[in-house]
Structures are given as structure tokens and as C-alpha cells.
Amino acid sequence: MTTPAHHVQGLDNDEVPADWPAISAGEITWLQQHFVELQGDCRLLWHSPRPFSAAALVQGPHGRFFIKRHHCSVRSAAVVSEEHRFIAHLAAQGLPVVQVIADQNGATALEHGDWTFEVHAEGTGQDLYRDVPSWTPPSSVEQAWQAGRMLALLHTASESFHAPQRATHLLVARDDLIRAEDPIAALIAQLPDRPELAAYLADTPWQAELQRAILPWHMGLATRLAAEPRLWGHNDWHVSNLLWQTGSGVTTVSSVLDFGLASPTSALYDLATAIERNAIAWLQLDRSAQAVRGDIALALLVGYRDARALSSDQVRLLADLLPVVHLDFALSEVEYFHAITGSRANADVAYRTFLLGHADWFRTPAGQGLLATLRGAA
């Protein structure tokens, strides 16, 4: 499953051997039989360092294209197509999303052996954050403002999209447990359908740990979130998933990428995730106050409100959602590492450092300060 020559970003801001082999010339040859756009002399330009799948940028006679390959245990063609239908809807609404390429039979996701493939046209704009680790704040407040405004436009476009919940929990950012009156009872009800997550948790006093770390933050959230309608969100809104247009002294968002975590959550969930992803340098918390960017959080919020109204109560709910917004996705990472890659060490990081650690961080002075900053903007 690993290729020594191919490395990706690890969970500790390091470089580690990839769990999935890099996309090969042979696989591109197979794809050329199905996608007209890839036919002709096609060469690999770049392999993505992101860890959960394999991806590459290729150059052919018809342009540059982004190929993404998932293991079938993580994404089937049917599950990938859920994302593609959302992307198509946003495109029809005028949002600048990258184009998903269909094969000669009209399919946008193809299964071949143990793999599921998808092909996208290269997005318009500069990939300013291509080699930046996850959870790195934007380089400017202006870019955060632009990112916030584009997220608001995405939510407005998404309001007319109606589709059921994703058919998988793996590496999807859902909010089922956050919306539940009792997240622990809700998770217990899920475990028969998630046996590998159940197997991991069986060795852990997880109910007591969630009661300590999560439930105090969650108190009252379910009732307040009931007023927030379900809305498909991007759910991984980081500046590295955006392409940028620079010129005339202003940098604006030109393309939106990577809908792998998309699902029906809520606008506030998606905005809270954006703040969590962009305003806190989680992999550099040793920098103390410098790791927390209240100015970035506020710029995201102000940019968002420039295009989509939020009431004072919603802004306060946004702040209260932040310490637990990662709950469902952190558990999906635990499940992924335990069930798919078989890494107990990574599953432990996802559970202890991500799930419990992020919630605990909001009890620190730095975390409390960020929440106060957001509440002050209500």
C-alpha cells in the first residue's frame, strides 16, 4: 500500500511515506481509454502531498487536468458522484467551481480494480497554498475576507440543492452528533453500522472522555441548531482549497476546489469549520498567542456578512459551535485510520489530539480569547 518514493503531509506537520501509491503512468493510460480530454501525449506534472487519497496534475494536448484516485473502501463511484452533483448545481448557480469531466458514457467517477477515479479540469487562478500544510492561516486578512464572502455566496447557491445525507461516514464532515440532544446516545446508535469505529472505541473509556471534553460545550446547542436549516456545505473551507486571482492590488477567489467533505450540515457549521481551519495554527500551538488569529476569524465573519446576513444570535451560536464543530469529522478520521490504513498511532492522534485536544484547547486563555473575539462581533 505504500510507495517509498512518494511522501505526503503527516499529522504532525511532517513528511511521511504515503498510505496510497502515487498515480502512475499506467493508470493514466487506462483513463485515456475513457476520457477524450486525456487522449494524446499526457505527462505527469505534480503529485499532491495530501494524505487521504492520491492526486496528480497532468498536462495533455487538451489542457491540464487534475486526477484524483481513492481506494474503493473509502469512496465508491456512487459516493464520489454525490459530490459531483453538488458541484454541478453550484456551477449552474454561477459559483466558480472547477469543472468535473465526464467520460465517454457520461460518468464522472469510474471504478477500476481497487480504485475509484475522478477527473477535473484545472481550476482558474493561482494555487497560492499548494504546498502549505493543513491548518495554516491565510497570509493576509484581505484573503480571509474574500474567502468568507465566497463561502456566503456558496451557501446562497446551495439553498436550492436538495439531496440526502452522504452514504458514508468515512472522511465526510457531518453534523449528526452535534445536532443530537445526546451525542453519546446518538453515537452508540451509530456503532452497529460502524463496526471498525466500535472496535477502536471498545479499548477506550470514550463515553467518560466525551462527557468531560465535549458535553459541556454541547449543552444547549441541539435546541439552538434546530432553527438552522440543513444546507449542503463545503465543510473543508481552507484557503488551500481555493485558487486566487491577483491583480490591481487585490487578491480574490477565482476557483473553489475539493468537495470531498461536503454534506448537508448548516451554514453556521460550514462557517465555524472555516474559522477552525483558518484562524488557528493547530500544528503550531507552541507559538501560543501567535498561533491564534482573531483578525483572520473576524475577517472571515465580516466577509461572510458582506454577502449573507447573520443575526447577533447566529454569531453567538457560531462562537459556541466552534469547540465541537470537529466532533463528527474527528470520529470519521478515527474510523478511517483504524479500518482502512490500520494505523493505531494515527487513530490515536485523531482521537486524542484532534477530537479531545481541540475541544480542550478552547478552555485555554488563547481559546477563550478567540471565542470572546467572535462573541464581541455579534
Side-chain angles (χ1 to χ4, degrees), residues 325-348:
V325 72
H326 65 297
L327 173 59
D328 289 75
F329 184 66
L331 285 166
S332 83
E333 278 201 1
V334 173
E335 187 174 9
Y336 168 81
F337 288 122
H338 184 75
I340 307 301
T341 68
S343 172
R344 177 72 191 207
N346 284 347
D348 286 345

Side-chain angles (χ1 to χ4, degrees), residues 12-191:
D12 195 28
N13 205 12
D14 52 356
E15 187 177 277
V16 299
D19 288 317
W20 309 113
I23 290 173
S24 68
E27 288 171 322
I28 294 174
T29 299
W30 180 82
L31 288 168
Q32 288 177 316
Q33 302 171 35
H34 301 272
F35 292 91
V36 172
E37 290 80 359
L38 297 179
Q39 291 174 359
D41 182 21
C42 208
R43 59 191 176 90
L44 281 161
L45 300 178
W46 171 77
H47 290 287
S48 171
R50 305 300 179 187
F52 294 135
S53 61
L57 188 66
V58 300
Q59 174 73 61
H62 306 287
R64 301 214 288 190
F65 297 89
F66 187 75
I67 299 171
K68 195 170 184 179
R69 189 199 65 211
H70 314 264
H71 195 266
C72 62
S73 61
V74 180
R75 289 287 188 273
S76 66
V79 171
V80 171
S81 296
E82 295 169 351
E83 302 161 20
H84 293 173
R85 286 190 287 273
F86 183 40
I87 294 170
H89 174 85
L90 295 175
Q93 296 295 310
L95 204 80
V97 292
V98 293
Q99 179 189 3
V100 181
I101 306 300
D103 76 351
Q104 297 173 23
N105 297 314
T108 58
L110 274 66
E111 295 178 0
H112 179 58
D114 291 336
W115 308 106
T116 301
F117 292 86
E118 55 182 314
V119 179
H120 299 254
E122 183 182 32
T124 301
Q126 299 179 49
D127 195 352
L128 299 179
Y129 296 91
R130 186 171 84 171
D131 299 315
V132 171
S134 300
W135 288 321
T136 298
S139 59
S140 74
V141 169
E142 172 62 25
Q143 287 182 21
W145 189 95
Q146 295 287 349
R149 190 175 190 280
M150 183 58 72
L151 182 59
L153 296 177
L154 183 150
H155 290 163
T156 298
S158 177
E159 285 179 329
S160 52
F161 181 74
H162 305 290
Q165 181 57 273
R166 299 295 299 272
T168 184
H169 284 275
L170 284 174
L171 302 182
V172 169
R174 296 162 65 151
D175 70 347
D176 305 343
L177 300 180
I178 300 170
R179 284 184 177 266
E181 287 287 347
D182 184 344
I184 291 176
L187 181 54
I188 290 172
Q190 289 180 4
L191 291 180

Side-chain angles (χ1 to χ4, degrees), residues 177-178 180-191 194 197 200-201 204-219 323-324 326-332 334 350-360 363:
L177 300 180
I178 300 170
E181 287 287 347
D182 184 344
I184 291 176
L187 181 54
I188 290 172
Q190 289 180 4
L191 291 180
R194 305 174 71 180
L197 178 59
Y200 175 89
L201 294 176
T204 305
W206 67 271
Q207 294 190 43
E209 290 174 332
L210 292 190
Q211 179 117 25
R212 177 198 63 78
I214 300 296
L215 291 196
W217 292 119
H218 183 269
M219 189 176 301
V324 295
H326 65 297
L327 173 59
D328 289 75
F329 184 66
L331 285 166
S332 83
V334 173
Y351 179 76
R352 303 218 164 270
T353 305
F354 187 12
L355 175 56
L356 302 179
H358 283 204
D360 286 339
R363 297 183 172 90

Side-chain angles (χ1 to χ4, degrees), residues 243-267:
L243 299 183
W244 302 84
Q245 183 70 46
T246 59
S248 303
V250 179
T251 302
T252 57
V253 177
S254 55
S255 296
V256 180
L257 314 172
D258 197 352
F259 286 79
L261 275 59
S263 75
T265 51
S266 71

